[in-house]
């Protein structure tokens, strides 16, 4: 593996496999290893995990860089929660849970008959907490059209919910 002395992100990003670095060794899980150990999985599953792994390492670097620029006494670091970076496995579990929740919501949205636009806007507003104006800015539309779309999607969900009771 080249880039062995680079950051964890660089090592993982520039290798074909998923890299785990420990104090005493570095392990690389290749596509072949992954498929051999997980016969029910596909190359697409491996590439998805690789992308998640790259994203986690990059986020760690961003957090470390952002926190490294702050002037905090070394004695105060224990008490400063802003300096704590969640472990990689915890971040992975959170990412997986978020994806599962998104799949469940998508299934509900499809069952309720929401359009793609309604699904997207409702997700951005209700889950990611974006305002109607922020969504409108992203999509290049007037905020009232986003508000109407989200309200209509909510009416559809309420109607669907009353049917299944």
């Amino acid at each position: 593996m080249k880039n062995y002395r680079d950051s964890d992100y660089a090592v993982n990003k520039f290798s074909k496999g998923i890299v785990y670095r420990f104090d005493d060794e570095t392990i690389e899980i290749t596509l072949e290893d992954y498929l051999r150990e997980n016969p029910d999985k596909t190359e697409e599953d491996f590439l998805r995990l690789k992308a998640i792994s790259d994203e986690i390492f990059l986020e760690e670097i961003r957090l470390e860089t952002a926190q490294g620029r702050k002037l905090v006494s070394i004695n105060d670091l224990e008490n400063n929660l802003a300096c704590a970076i969640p472990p990689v496995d915890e971040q992975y579990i959170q990412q997986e849970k978020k994806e599962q929740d998104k799949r469940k919501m998508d299934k509900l949205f499809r069952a309720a008959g929401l359009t793609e636009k309604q699904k997207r806007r409702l997700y951005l507003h209700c889950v990611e907490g974006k305002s109607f104006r922020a969504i409108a800015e992203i999509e290049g539309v007037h905020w009232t059209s986003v508000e109407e779309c989200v309200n209509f999607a909510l009416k559809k969900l309420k109607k669907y919910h009353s049917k299944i009771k």
Side-chain angles (χ1 to χ4, degrees):
M1 269 181 291
K2 68 178 191 173
N3 302 329
Y4 176 78
R5 295 190 176 171
D6 291 342
S7 69
D8 291 347
Y9 170 68
V11 171
N12 194 62
K13 179 76 175 169
F14 296 113
S15 69
K16 292 183 180 181
I18 299 172
V19 177
Y20 297 96
R21 288 178 72 171
F22 303 99
D23 288 338
D24 58 342
E25 68 178 323
T26 300
I27 299 172
E28 181 176 3
I29 308 296
T30 64
L31 172 62
E32 294 78 23
D33 296 336
Y34 178 77
L35 293 176
R36 185 173 47 254
E37 293 290 323
N38 302 285
D40 59 323
K41 301 292 184 178
T42 65
E43 182 176 351
E44 184 178 298
D45 295 323
F46 177 80
L47 294 175
R48 192 174 126 263
L49 286 174
K50 173 84 169 127
I52 290 170
S53 177
D54 288 344
E55 187 177 310
I56 289 170
F57 280 124
L58 181 59
E59 184 62 23
E60 279 185 359
I61 286 178
R62 287 181 180 146
L63 290 171
E64 287 171 0
T65 302
Q67 296 306 326
R69 291 187 185 140
K70 295 184 178 178
L71 300 175
V72 177
S73 165
I74 191 113
N75 298 324
D76 292 336
L77 287 178
E78 291 177 353
N79 303 325
N80 190 345
L81 294 176
C83 291
I85 298 173
V88 174
D89 58 339
E90 192 174 301
Q91 291 179 27
Y92 174 75
I93 291 168
Q94 289 172 351
Q95 180 73 23
E96 282 293 310
K97 185 178 180 325
K98 187 176 179 181
E99 288 178 18
Q100 286 175 352
D101 291 345
K102 195 169 183 176
R103 284 192 295 270
K104 288 177 185 175
M105 282 193 316
D106 190 50
K107 187 177 178 180
L108 172 65
F109 290 172
R110 273 187 275 127
L114 271 61
T115 65
E116 289 301 317
K117 186 188 300 183
Q118 289 171 332
K119 289 184 219 177
R120 181 181 64 249
R121 290 176 176 177
L122 189 61
Y123 182 83
L124 288 171
H125 182 65
C126 294
V127 177
E128 293 192 9
K130 295 197 181 299
S131 68
F132 296 138
R133 292 179 190 272
I135 297 168
E137 188 175 316
I138 291 168
E139 295 186 356
V141 297
H142 196 270
W143 70 270
T144 55
S145 65
V146 174
E147 181 182 29
E148 290 170 1
C149 182
V150 168
N151 287 334
F152 192 67
L154 289 170
K155 285 179 186 177
K156 279 185 173 180
L157 282 171
K158 286 177 186 175
K159 185 177 179 182
Y160 173 74
H161 181 70
S162 66
K163 283 182 184 179
I164 60 171
K165 274 189 170 179

